[in-house]
């Protein structure tokens, strides 16, 4: 737990925002040092100027059987707060549909307010399109969010804690993706470069594990039929410790993060619970994204360290 507290304090004070190329470069140098200090062979992997992503790879992607992943970049300040309800897909879709309608309604109202007094109806459509594109681009290229404890820091801390818990193993690869906040560009570039691994190996993606006492384990539709995988997860993530594990193998769930780029995956996230809504993650993309339970990080890292030998057949 002391190591997690150190990582938390260092990341939140020295590298709290990782959005520009310079900020991410400085954060990567620290991450590489910490991974190497923990005994992992780590390096940067770049994908050209068009993609613009730089991932951190600890291990050998060509030999690994299990990939433990997260993203290290942080996002922009959101116009409308983000909302995730991984197990209530209808609520998730309705919220984002309503947000889009509200945003375009505001854009339409602004366009009308400009064009009507000037008696220029022909300007309406061009102005609406320009403002709409500007609003959509704000999410990716707007001012950086000042707080991303859950959405940006928690996964990084868990991966660093895991690197200390688990000894280097050539069958395991740790990956920190770039540009999660820009349409998963880092994960997409990794998948394209390592297509064989991306389509046949297991990927466990850590994202937003800091806010909520329930730790959801969400296998993909291909992974939920893997009996040895589910048995290993159930044994490695026990009840009665710092967080309550929820291994969900039935029903519809959806988690829109880097895990979506890989066929066989398990998404790991922490959630709050509300009767009638189910599990949800609040405050994403807002100044209130400040909750980061070190207990969650310690539990997830320790459980993953237990999982690896169980799944790889060393236990």
């Amino acid at each position: 737990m002391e190591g997690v507290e150190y990582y938390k304090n260092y990341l939140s004070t020295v590298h709290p925002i990782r959005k520009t190329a310079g900020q991410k470069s400085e954060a990567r140098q620290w991450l590489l040092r910490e991974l190497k200090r923990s005994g992992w062979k780590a390096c940067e992997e770049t994908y050209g100027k068009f993609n613009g992503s730089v991932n951190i790879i600890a291990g050998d992607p060509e030999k690994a059987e299990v990939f433990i992943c997260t993203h290290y970049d942080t996002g922009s300040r959101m116009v409308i707060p983000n909302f995730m309800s991984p197990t209530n897909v209808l609520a998730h879709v309705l919220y984002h549909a309503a947000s889009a309608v509200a945003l375009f309604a505001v854009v339409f109202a602004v366009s009308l307010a400009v064009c009507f007094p000037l008696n220029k109806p022909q300007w309406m459509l061009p102005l609406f399109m320009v403002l709409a594109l500007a609003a959509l681009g704000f999410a990716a290229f707007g001012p950086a969010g000042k707080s991303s404890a859950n959405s940006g820091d928690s996964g990084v801390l868990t991966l660093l804690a895991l690197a200390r818990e688990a000894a280097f193993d050539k069958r395991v690869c740790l990956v920190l993706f770039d540009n999660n906040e820009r349409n998963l560009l880092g994960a997409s570039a990794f998948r394209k470069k390592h297509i064989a691994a991306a389509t046949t190996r297991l990927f466990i993606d850590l994202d937003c594990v800091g806010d909520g006492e329930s730790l959801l384990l969400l296998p993909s539709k291909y992974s939920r039929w893997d009996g040895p995988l589910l048995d290993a997860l159930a044994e490695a993530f026990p009840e009665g410790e710092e967080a309550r594990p929820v291994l969900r193998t039935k029903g519809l769930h959806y988690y829109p993060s880097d895990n979506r780029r890989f066929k066989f995956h398990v998404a790991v996230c922490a959630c709050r619970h509300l009767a009638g809504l189910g599990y949800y993650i609040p405050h994403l993309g807002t100044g209130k994204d400040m909750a980061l339970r070190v207990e969650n990080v310690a539990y997830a890292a320790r459980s993953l360290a237990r999982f690896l030998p169980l799944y790889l057949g060393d236990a």
Side-chain angles (χ1 to χ4, degrees), residues 287-308:
K288 295 182 179 180
D289 183 6
M290 301 178 67
L292 203 171
R293 297 181 74 245
V294 293
E295 296 87 351
N296 284 18
V297 172
Y299 173 74
R302 187 169 61 252
S303 296
L304 287 169
R306 288 188 291 238
F307 166 80
L308 290 172

Side-chain angles (χ1 to χ4, degrees), residues 149-225:
N150 184 34
S151 61
D153 295 355
S154 63
V156 173
L157 299 182
T158 305
L159 204 69
L160 290 176
L162 172 62
R164 296 182 63 169
E165 288 273 352
F168 172 75
D169 188 326
K170 64 181 180 180
R171 298 169 299 174
V172 180
C173 188
L174 310 180
V175 185
L176 292 107
F177 292 123
D178 191 5
N179 284 330
N180 168 275
E181 303 291 345
R182 294 186 179 180
N183 199 30
L184 314 180
L185 284 177
S188 298
F190 181 91
R191 183 183 188 280
K192 185 176 181 179
K193 185 167 184 175
H194 305 286
I195 187 65
T199 53
T200 60
R201 302 304 186 187
L202 173 65
F203 285 75
I204 298 180
D205 186 46
L206 306 163
D207 194 7
C208 300
V209 296
D211 189 0
E213 296 181 357
S214 295
L215 195 70
L216 271 61
L217 309 171
L218 307 173
S220 69
K221 64 180 180 179
Y222 301 101
S223 298
R224 65 170 58 187
W225 308 109

Side-chain angles (χ1 to χ4, degrees), residues 199-282:
T199 53
T200 60
R201 302 304 186 187
L202 173 65
F203 285 75
I204 298 180
D205 186 46
L206 306 163
D207 194 7
C208 300
V209 296
D211 189 0
E213 296 181 357
S214 295
L215 195 70
L216 271 61
L217 309 171
L218 307 173
S220 69
K221 64 180 180 179
Y222 301 101
S223 298
R224 65 170 58 187
W225 308 109
D226 186 339
L229 167 63
L230 301 183
D231 291 342
L233 287 171
E235 186 174 346
F237 288 80
E239 295 275 1
E241 297 187 11
E242 297 95 330
R244 186 175 73 89
V246 180
L247 176 56
R248 200 167 190 272
T249 59
K250 296 181 180 180
L252 183 64
H253 55 244
Y254 175 70
Y255 197 75
S257 190
D258 294 307
N259 56 284
R260 305 299 301 176
R261 294 294 182 259
F262 307 104
K263 184 176 182 179
F264 300 101
H265 71 253
V266 177
V268 182
C269 62
C271 290
R272 301 183 187 185
H273 188 272
L274 182 65
L277 174 63
Y279 295 101
Y280 71 101
I281 305 173

Side-chain angles (χ1 to χ4, degrees), residues 67-86:
F67 294 78
I68 312 294
C69 313
T70 189
H71 70 91
Y72 68 89
D73 61 315
T74 58
S76 302
R77 194 181 313 153
M78 302 295 289
V79 177
I80 299 175
N82 197 0
F83 169 80
M84 288 191 193
S85 182

Side-chain angles (χ1 to χ4, degrees), residues 28 44-47 52-56 72 176-179:
R28 284 197 303 273
E44 294 181 350
E45 189 170 85
T46 60
Y47 307 94
S53 298
V54 183
N55 295 336
I56 297 175
Y72 68 89
L176 292 107
F177 292 123
D178 191 5
N179 284 330

